[in-house]
Amino acid sequence: MNASDFVMGISGGAGEGVILTGDLMTQIAARSNLHISSTQTFPAEVRGGQSYVQIRFGVDNVFNPGDQLHVLVAFNNLAYHRYKQTVASDAILIVDGDPETTDRAKAFGDWRGGPIYVVPMTRIAKQDIGEVRSKNMVALGAVTAHLGFSEGHGERIVERFFSKKARKLIEPNLAGYRAGRAYVEKHVTKQDHLTIPEIRGEGYLVLSGNDAIALGALYAGCRFYGGYPITPASEIMQVLAEELPHVGGTMYQAEDEIASLGAVLGASFAGVRAMTATSGPGLSLMGELLGLSGIAEIPLVIVDVQRGGPSTGLPTKTEQSDLLPALYGGHGEFPRVVMAPISIRNCFAVMRQAFEVAETYQVPVVVLSEQGLGHRRATLSKSLLAQTPMARTARPLKTWEPTYNRYKVTDNGISPRALPEDPGGMHLITGLEHWDFGGPSHNPANRTEMVQKRFRKLRNLDRRYGGVFAFKGEDAAQHLHATTDEEAGRLSAAEESFRGQIGVIGWGANAGVVREAVARAERRGIDVSAVFPKMISPHNDLTIRPFIEGHQKIVVIEQNYIGQYARFLQRYYDFEPVRLNKYDGLPFTPNDVLRKIEEVASHV
Amino acid sequence: MSSPAKTAEKTSLTPADYKGRVKPIWCPGCGDFGVLNAITRSLAALGIEPRRLALASGIGCSSRIPGFVNCYGFHGAHGRALPVAVGIKLANPRLTVLALGGDGDGLSIGIGHFPHVARRNLDITYIMMDNRIYGLTKGQTSPTTLEGRRTKTSPAGALEQPLNPVELAVIFNATYVARGYSANLKELQDLITRGIQHRGFSMVHVLSPCVTFGKGSGFDYFGPRTKPLPDDHDPRDRQQALLRSAVEETIYTGVFYETERAEYVEQIQAIGSGVGRELDEDGPRIEVDRLIQRFS
């Protein structure tokens, strides 16, 4: 156990405030200048079943919520039994119960960890506070006191949270938090060495993947959001509902996903950067209008926070099974771009690229996030918000010649775009095949020319925006890209991570566990590196080819059954990857990946 | 309930200024010609500049109309005229936005949008051209096809009760509901003009016969049955509007219902939204400190 990198699990009955405890815990850590990576699982129902939050704390940045627990906080016995197997040998247990009457040998005889602290959370909440629902705040106080977090950070965080709900809730919850701390300070003798280090700093932001998408959109100049509530994407809409009015933008909750996308296309047509976010079922409904965006060349950004499918599937669990629908969904053929952020920080950045690409190339861009990323939280430097320049999308009116044609055929396929209110730019956009001026056309030669014009827009797009994030050993992630064949040649000749025994390729949020598994494997003497594409489609051959050719064995990791990305890659390369797939709704852990790497290494 | 902002920009525009680059493909004698005429006359009378005019439509014969009008036209997807119109208006409230489509587009595939746009009272004008048949696909039953009528998909006669768009619009709390007849140009122009001037969601139902597949609901059917609303009709009386929209033997035309309610854009502008397309760099800025506070 190491206070500079440890993992805490908090579990209790759904409705006991476990998720909230975890949220506040992450904020307290961020104020204490500790990094966190946290994940939560909760049943789809609001009450019933068990809730669970896992938080990893690090003095240095942590990129995933970890494996084994070093601290288990159990709100009840069921919680203890569910997570007791996943602990490290020196893990501490902080559990609700009566310290005088609890028979530790009987109740926790099968505990495999270290010291056990029985804290009367329910009793304090009931008897001292007079409000049993403040039990989670008692727990928060007890845990933060035990680990040595300063009292003041927690007080301010608890007060801020409840002042947003109702003033009368502040007092009992603050009292609970203080009572939890006081109990530990007075009655608990610390038998472990887990005390957080004092670190100086200005604190961190705590963002979920969904927060980061919303803020990324805001900074990217998005000023219209049309959406329909759906788990696990709704938080994007909720953040933008609060934030867009501050910048003159509009959040519009439509009657369904089709109307959401219709409104987004209308807004984009009218000259405003516009987006929607949804999950699998919504993406299915949006298929027809996705194609409209393609043929009518209306810029569009759709975020799909993937969940277990098909149909209603696993609404609160993670999966990466919408890659093929994102790449090929909708009828007919049209150019599109698919990106998948690899981290919470990247969620923020990817939105800027998505809006830029959508507007420059007048194409739909699908951003594939996933529940495991959308609901995960991480600490990020405050400079992310303080120093990222905001994209300004204002454009003055432009006067167009009488010969203006909306779909003018050009060398790069991109046609000048007049916006409503521009003098002389009046035109028709239509989902019918059309002449260059917008009028409907069935003419075979024109059809051929228009299809080619639209697809021409994708040419070289991957060279400008693509590339890979590469992971090797303990090194920080590197963004590798090449804009020309010569650059690509030099890159692949020089790049260490492009060759070796085992190469891991993944996409999306698994980068956080893969980078750790790769580093651990290398410490065990295995020659392994990994890449994640910055843009999935158009495919960036310049960086993926040398990686595949430079490794003896390629492992493709993804969270689906059929290996959607592996199949996609097999369209381009004649190779048989080892596949690491999972479709049980739970995210990969670093150990899952490490075991696979070791298994492959033993056969190479 | 006319807004001064909309009448102030009057210039010397004529209906010819609204002639679009696409030539109408409708069958000779189609009722939709009358609607197109009425629309361009209304626009000219109101002096709405083509560059500040957006027409959004769905799919169907009538939905081709944005191409025939000099404007920013959006001929989108079947049933989705209203959502697109909403997006355009919210993104740029300075525009005059019309949503257009047929009875199949608006009452069958797209009916899910109708009540929601109506209840929001967003300032757009929805013109529904009703020929009681699917014309573009050559003669199948539509949601307004009369019970018992034989069509290609109801060879033994339609079994369903037809929907009544005027009645629905009143029930959905549209704040301006009118019905016109494409053969009565003067009245239709007036109804559309008042609809565009109305601040809020206005719905104009137009009886617009199909001369090719509209047997049984052509001009010969509507002509003798169509009458202006009685002189005593009070458009502020919701009950009366509902009763008179549902009369079967006579098909009334005129303004059935008109009322005043907070308009959607005005409401969102009150909280800071709805600035729309920014034309200069001096728009609102992100409040960085507040955001950092919120997320740390």
Side-chain angles (χ1 to χ4, degrees), chain B residues 227-234 244 252-253:
Chain B
K227 285 193 184 70
L229 281 161
D231 289 341
D232 69 347
H233 186 76
D234 178 3
R244 287 191 167 143
Y252 286 121
T253 59

Side-chain angles (χ1 to χ4, degrees), chain B residues 89 120-124 199-201 261-268:
Chain B
K89 184 70 184 179
R120 286 181 187 115
N121 201 32
L122 183 67
D123 188 15
I124 58 181
R199 205 151 206 35
F201 180 71
R261 200 170 74 232
E263 195 275 329
Y264 192 81
V265 170
E266 285 171 3
Q267 291 183 76
I268 63 167

